[in-house]
Amino acid sequence: MTDQIDHLRQALDSGRQGPVQRVLSSLHPAEIAVLIESLPLGEREIVWNLVSDEDRGEVLLHLGEELRAWLIKAMDVEAVISASEGLEIDDLADFIDDLPETLTQRVMSSMDEARRTRVEAVMSYPYDTAGGLMNTDPVSVRPNVTLEVVLRYLRMLGDLPSHTDMLFVVDRYGHFLGILPMNKVVTMNPDVTVSDIMDREFQALSVDLTAGEVAKRFEDRDLISAPVVDERNILLGRITIDDVVDVIRDEAEHSLLAPAGLDEEDDIFAPVRRSARRRAVWLGVNLITAFMASAVVGMFEATLDQVVALAVLMPIVASMGGIGGSQTLTLMIRGLALGQISTANAVALLKKEVAVALINGLLWAVVVSSIVLAWFRSPMLALVIGMALILNQMCASVAGVGLPLLLKKLDIDPALAGSVVLTTITDVVGFFAFLGLGAALLL
Amino acid sequence: MTDQIDHLRQALDSGRQGPVQRVLSSLHPAEIAVLIESLPLGEREIVWNLVSDEDRGEVLLHLGEELRAWLIKAMDVEAVISASEGLEIDDLADFIDDLPETLTQRVMSSMDEARRTRVEAVMSYPYDTAGGLMNTDPVSVRPNVTLEVVLRYLRMLGDLPSHTDMLFVVDRYGHFLGILPMNKVVTMNPDVTVSDIMDREFQALSVDLTAGEVAKRFEDRDLISAPVVDERNILLGRITIDDVVDVIRDEAEHSLLAPAGLDEEDDIFAPVRRSARRRAVWLGVNLITAFMASAVVGMFEATLDQVVALAVLMPIVASMGGIGGSQTLTLMIRGLALGQISTANAVALLKKEVAVALINGLLWAVVVSSIVLAWFRSPMLALVIGMALILNQMCASVAGVGLPLLLKKLDIDPALAGSVVLTTITDVVGFFAFLGLGAALLL
């Protein structure tokens, strides 16, 4: 991809359209989207204007929401409608979801009745559920026909929706009965009846399953597509692996970006003013927590005044606590995401993490105390920092296990808030323990 | 999944095998693996012993490396061989890769010639390349036959490898010519010839492509499977989406865990001693950086002795720099992973990030200075902290952009080392700027 960025760079620098178009025509829409996102603001528009009409819908879909909205604002209604025309139903639903109100109406009324009804069906479900992920294009067959008939039916259709690795077997009322893998369609004798070879055990996805649960099912069972049914077991549509991969990628981006107060929509070349505003919020949150730590230090001004070495060493206690705590927190966040942590094993986990913290607290307390003894020649100071270190490691491990569970119970995303709250705890406890012990033992 | 953990918990607590087996039999091997990983050490073995023979290979494959090694150590050779028997070639290669030397020999010699040759072929490529990911089970056809013949051939095979959404068209020497989508096999007239409907444009994957590049290709082009060829364009095998999903998941885990000095193999219920040893290393690295920051503070002992307020406020400057810098760093790490950053746009990016840092530096300098003015009633101290904040934000943004690029050039993983080095920089610069300015302006 970085090769392609360099090629595009050269093409843009040449100042002519031809080379840029040649680069673009060799790429898939998703790749064009990555390329556009890697350009500074001014050049994004130049490249966008050279994207071919048939690719525009797909390219828009693969861009971040903000960038997409910005490009759409500059398009006329006809262009937006034509970009929407090539999209599959589930993608179209996402696309329309993000359009401004006025455009939504225009795009909806540009469709034929059948397409509109299907889009509306998908849009009636929350976007992060099976209903919102599904496409309403399943190919279904009846159980009592032969494969010969199925093949004739498929040839009549002339084409199949992409990622069709199975057909769905339904009764005349549309109830889901089972699946017919394509493998069987092509390898079995054409005389056999669908009902003889269909897989009745295959569990359809309930329409209200969350996107995360859908992704886990696909991953664990190596699925390519799966049927979606409503509570009466009526077949509504199907979900395909490409959309599930997007869900997995989004979850991964979230867990990477959230701890820094960023979100999936943060765009590497967003306008300076918008980036500054978004990040300011997170710096503000951090400032509050930093002042809390500062206030704890302020309580010991008199102590610091007498033993200035405490000021020199206090960052070490806080920092070691922060590292230990975030290791536990990170494992917890992953465990929660994988569904590996429940009330059943939380206590065992807590015991283990506290034990690990105790061992490492003791180990590093000995090391730090020895260094401090050599540096400041004060056995009492060495004792103080060692005790503070052990205390802070223990607190950090308890907070690392308990905090994400608590945040989850409060419906706050542990990936977002976890590390800010945790380091506040380790800073406050670290400073308090170190300076408090210092005040008690050194004055 | 947490439901299933609770069910299993109850079943285990009942002390009888029946209920545990009932829970297990309702699950897919990948789900059983997640369940085993969520159990404390003692219970893992109990559950493992109740896993049915046919599931064992798959379950082992889905467990973390350490846990797998631990379970295998307790199995006799026959059991390991029988667990390996149901695995697909690419999975088998991974499985054998992780076995102890002595077992490798035994398992290899237990296979028939054909299977052994195929496993050896896959094992001859690095595991994180297209060659290591591929399965050697592609179904190929010749271009000059009709669909009728293809269908007859498929019926003769009787079954197809999982995730077969396309057949591969090769010449008599095995050169890859193009693909024949299954969709076309079932929807086109049986009289047409393969060469008339095959897709010659489909780009095969080169055997030495990295796993990350393979994943990106699958994602961008919504693939289910893809052919792998060598440098002479000979078809070697194919890669399927299920293995790509594992690659994506591993990458995601890595970017979540690496900044805390953990890796994908870290197991939530690993033995205390092993966990403690692994994490100790990371705490040790952090300790070195913490002492560096401490040494900077130590340079200003005389200053701190006279103006104790500096000690109270210094964590604020360091912490705000750390947050600002890690926001930039996080965006860079994501951009690098997506292939969006190259020398072509690094400068534009640097300018943007510095501009964002300047705006936020100014904004929060005003806020912090005002608070400090109200708290300590010293305009000079307010000025010092404001200037130090701005300086540190600017340094943080430069380091946030430059550091990952530098680390990458040095072949050090930015996700692993980035945040430790970055916070060292923001701590050192923050303390130095704040205390240095304090020494110059307040004494």
Side-chain angles (χ1 to χ4, degrees):
Chain A
M1 207 63 208
T2 46
D3 286 359
Q4 285 153 353
I5 293 177
D6 290 337
H7 288 157
L8 188 66
R9 173 87 277 137
Q10 289 165 13
L12 283 168
D13 288 345
S14 76
R16 287 172 303 130
Q17 298 195 349
V20 179
Q21 270 166 332
R22 266 196 296 283
V23 174
L24 294 181
S25 68
S26 70
L27 297 173
H28 201 266
E31 294 166 339
I32 297 176
V34 173
L35 220 54
I36 290 181
E37 286 185 336
S38 69
L39 292 174
L41 280 184
E43 291 174 341
R44 286 175 171 181
E45 221 167 340
I46 300 176
V47 173
W48 168 247
N49 287 327
L50 296 175
V51 173
S52 69
D53 280 343
E54 70 254 44
D55 282 349
R56 290 199 155 193
E58 286 273 328
V59 172
L60 281 174
L61 206 67
H62 284 91
L63 292 171
E65 265 174 48
E66 285 186 0
L67 183 51
R68 190 195 312 167
W70 182 72
L71 290 173
I72 286 177
K73 224 180 346 183
M75 291 166 77
D76 59 32
V77 182
E78 294 313 313
V80 175
I81 290 174
S82 95
S84 76
E85 274 163 5
L87 298 173
E88 291 187 1
I89 298 294
D90 57 341
D91 293 339
L92 185 56
D94 289 345
F95 183 79
I96 293 176
D97 249 350
D98 293 337
L99 286 181
E101 194 69 34
T102 49
L103 273 176
T104 309
Q105 296 304 326
R106 298 290 298 269
V107 173
M108 289 299 270
S109 56
S110 76
M111 296 175 220
D112 62 44
E113 177 87 27
R115 191 163 158 92
R116 186 165 52 242
T117 314
R118 292 164 78 192
V119 173
E120 281 169 349
V122 173
M123 289 179 69
S124 69
Y125 299 101
Y127 75 97
D128 57 350
T129 63
L133 285 173
M134 75 182 174
N135 233 317
T136 50
D137 59 1
V139 178
S140 55
V141 295
R142 292 292 172 76
N144 55 346
V145 299
T146 61
L147 281 192
E148 178 72 48
V149 174
V150 171
L151 275 169
R152 230 183 300 136
Y153 172 58
L154 296 181
R155 287 187 190 127
M156 194 197 73
L157 287 179
D159 192 20
L160 290 177
S162 61
H163 301 98
T164 298
D165 67 321
M166 53 173 74
L167 306 176
F168 304 115
V169 186
V170 296
D171 67 15
R172 57 149 82 180
Y173 306 106
H175 291 108
F176 173 74
L177 300 177
I179 63 157
L180 177 62
M182 283 306 256
N183 276 2
K184 293 201 169 166
V185 175
V186 296
T187 58
M188 304 292 263
N189 189 313
D191 298 335
V192 301
T193 306
V194 169
S195 63
D196 291 339
I197 54 168
M198 63 190 266
D199 175 359
R200 292 165 204 273
E201 301 298 309
F202 195 94
Q203 289 170 35
L205 304 170
S206 160
V207 71
D208 52 8
L209 230 50
T210 67
E213 289 165 335
V214 171
K216 206 148 287 155
R217 186 82 71 88
F218 267 74
E219 263 185 272
D220 287 342
R221 313 211 159 181
D222 290 345
L223 303 179
I224 289 176
S225 70
V228 177
V229 296
D230 68 10
E231 70 285 356
R232 292 164 307 155
N233 201 33
I234 299 278
L235 179 69
L236 297 177
R238 65 179 191 126
I239 294 178
T240 50
I241 182 74
D242 51 327
D243 296 314
V244 171
V245 167
D246 291 343
V247 169
I248 295 173
R249 189 57 93 175
D250 283 350
E251 282 181 354
E253 295 233 312
H254 177 74
S255 68
L256 173 67
L257 297 172
L262 303 166
D263 73 34
E264 298 83 288
E265 293 310 325
D266 271 286
D267 162 10
I268 166 167
F269 275 113
V272 169
R273 220 188 309 167
R274 183 177 303 147
S275 295
R277 195 171 48 225
R278 293 187 146 196
R279 298 203 212 156
V281 178
W282 198 242
L283 285 163
V285 170
N286 178 66
L287 184 62
I288 297 171
T289 72
F291 264 111
M292 285 168 63
S294 217
V296 172
V297 180
M299 290 163 56
F300 296 96
E301 243 181 285
T303 316
L304 286 166
D305 211 11
Q306 292 187 260
V307 192
V308 76
L310 290 174
V312 176
L313 295 172
M314 67 184 199
I316 292 176
V317 181
S319 150
M320 292 293 273
I323 295 288
S326 49
Q327 291 188 321
T328 304
L329 179 73
T330 304
L331 281 181
M332 283 292 292
I333 288 176
R334 180 180 65 154
L336 285 171
L338 294 178
Q340 285 185 329
I341 293 164
S342 68
T343 43
N345 60 15
V347 175
L349 195 58
L350 181 66
K351 278 188 201 155
K352 179 216 150 200
E353 288 297 316
V354 171
V356 171
L358 186 62
I359 294 175
N360 271 321
L362 283 168
L363 168 69
W364 292 109
V366 171
V367 174
V368 172
S369 295
S370 313
I371 298 174
V372 166
L373 188 61
W375 187 359
F376 293 94
R377 312 245 157 239
S378 158
M380 218 45 175
L381 184 61
L383 179 69
V384 166
I385 197 166
M387 287 168 65
L389 262 178
I390 295 170
L391 253 169
N392 205 20
Q393 289 302 315
M394 309 279 286
C395 278
S397 67
V398 174
V401 173
L403 186 62
L405 293 174
L406 180 72
L407 289 172
K408 224 189 149 187
K409 204 153 266 175
L410 299 174
D411 226 10
I412 300 172
D413 176 13
L416 177 69
S419 90
V420 182
V421 179
L422 180 90
T423 49
T424 307
I425 294 174
T426 51
D427 280 358
V428 166
V429 171
F431 291 143
F432 193 86
F434 183 51
L435 300 177
L437 285 167
L441 299 178
L442 293 173
L443 293 190
Chain B
M1 207 68 205
T2 45
D3 285 0
Q4 284 154 352
I5 294 177
D6 290 337
H7 288 156
L8 188 67
R9 174 86 277 137
Q10 288 165 16
L12 282 167
D13 289 345
S14 76
R16 287 171 304 130
Q17 299 196 349
V20 179
Q21 270 165 331
R22 265 197 295 285
V23 173
L24 294 181
S25 67
S26 70
L27 297 174
H28 200 263
E31 293 167 338
I32 296 176
V34 172
L35 219 54
I36 290 181
E37 286 186 336
S38 69
L39 291 174
L41 281 183
E43 291 175 342
R44 286 176 170 179
E45 221 166 342
I46 300 176
V47 173
W48 168 248
N49 288 328
L50 295 176
V51 173
S52 69
D53 280 343
E54 72 254 42
D55 282 347
R56 288 196 158 195
E58 286 273 328
V59 171
L60 281 175
L61 206 67
H62 283 92
L63 291 172
E65 264 173 49
E66 285 187 359
L67 183 52
R68 191 195 312 166
W70 182 73
L71 289 173
I72 286 177
K73 228 186 333 193
M75 290 166 77
D76 58 32
V77 182
E78 294 313 312
V80 175
I81 289 174
S82 97
S84 76
E85 274 163 4
L87 296 175
E88 290 187 2
I89 297 293
D90 56 340
D91 293 340
L92 184 56
D94 289 346
F95 183 79
I96 292 177
D97 248 351
D98 293 336
L99 286 181
E101 195 69 31
T102 49
L103 272 176
T104 308
Q105 296 304 325
R106 299 290 298 269
V107 172
M108 288 300 270
S109 57
S110 77
M111 295 177 221
D112 62 43
E113 177 89 24
R115 191 165 158 92
R116 185 164 54 242
T117 315
R118 292 164 78 192
V119 172
E120 282 169 349
V122 173
M123 288 179 71
S124 69
Y125 299 100
Y127 76 96
D128 58 350
T129 63
L133 285 172
M134 75 182 175
N135 232 318
T136 50
D137 59 0
V139 178
S140 55
V141 294
R142 293 290 173 77
N144 54 347
V145 300
T146 62
L147 282 191
E148 179 73 49
V149 174
V150 171
L151 275 169
R152 231 181 299 135
Y153 172 58
L154 296 181
R155 287 185 191 128
M156 195 196 74
L157 287 178
D159 191 18
L160 291 177
S162 62
H163 301 97
T164 298
D165 67 321
M166 54 173 75
L167 307 177
F168 305 114
V169 187
V170 296
D171 66 15
R172 56 152 82 179
Y173 306 106
H175 291 109
F176 173 73
L177 301 176
I179 63 157
L180 178 61
M182 283 306 254
N183 276 2
K184 291 199 171 169
V185 174
V186 295
T187 58
M188 306 291 266
N189 190 311
D191 298 335
V192 300
T193 308
V194 169
S195 63
D196 291 338
I197 55 167
M198 64 190 264
D199 175 358
R200 292 168 204 269
E201 302 297 309
F202 195 94
Q203 290 170 34
L205 304 171
S206 160
V207 72
D208 53 8
L209 230 50
T210 68
E213 289 165 336
V214 170
K216 206 149 290 157
R217 186 84 72 89
F218 268 73
E219 264 186 87
D220 286 342
R221 312 208 159 180
D222 290 344
L223 303 178
I224 288 175
S225 71
V228 178
V229 296
D230 68 10
E231 70 285 355
R232 292 164 307 154
N233 201 34
I234 299 278
L235 180 69
L236 298 177
R238 64 178 193 128
I239 295 178
T240 49
I241 182 75
D242 51 327
D243 297 313
V244 172
V245 167
D246 291 343
V247 170
I248 295 174
R249 187 59 91 180
D250 283 351
E251 283 182 353
E253 295 232 314
H254 176 74
S255 67
L256 173 67
L257 297 172
L262 303 167
D263 73 33
E264 298 82 287
E265 294 310 323
D266 271 287
D267 164 9
I268 168 165
F269 275 111
V272 169
R273 221 186 311 165
R274 181 177 303 150
S275 294
R277 193 170 52 224
R278 295 188 141 198
R279 296 202 213 159
V281 178
W282 198 242
L283 286 164
V285 171
N286 178 67
L287 185 62
I288 298 171
T289 74
F291 265 112
M292 285 169 63
S294 220
V296 173
V297 180
M299 291 163 56
F300 297 96
E301 243 182 280
T303 315
L304 285 167
D305 209 13
Q306 291 187 262
V307 193
V308 76
L310 289 174
V312 177
L313 294 172
M314 67 185 200
I316 292 177
V317 181
S319 148
M320 291 294 273
I323 295 287
S326 49
Q327 291 189 321
T328 304
L329 179 73
T330 305
L331 281 181
M332 283 293 293
I333 287 175
R334 180 180 66 154
L336 285 170
L338 293 178
Q340 287 185 327
I341 292 164
S342 68
T343 44
N345 58 17
V347 175
L349 194 58
L350 180 65
K351 279 187 200 156
K352 180 217 149 196
E353 288 298 316
V354 172
V356 171
L358 186 62
I359 294 175
N360 270 322
L362 283 168
L363 168 68
W364 292 109
V366 170
V367 173
V368 173
S369 295
S370 312
I371 298 174
V372 166
L373 188 61
W375 187 358
F376 293 93
R377 311 245 158 239
S378 157
M380 220 45 177
L381 183 62
L383 180 68
V384 165
I385 197 168
M387 286 168 65
L389 262 178
I390 295 171
L391 254 169
N392 205 18
Q393 290 302 316
M394 309 278 289
C395 278
S397 66
V398 174
V401 173
L403 185 63
L405 293 174
L406 180 71
L407 289 171
K408 225 191 147 185
K409 203 151 268 175
L410 300 173
D411 227 9
I412 301 171
D413 176 13
L416 176 70
S419 91
V420 183
V421 180
L422 181 90
T423 49
T424 309
I425 294 174
T426 52
D427 280 359
V428 166
V429 171
F431 290 144
F432 193 86
F434 183 51
L435 300 177
L437 285 167
L441 298 178
L442 293 173
L443 294 190

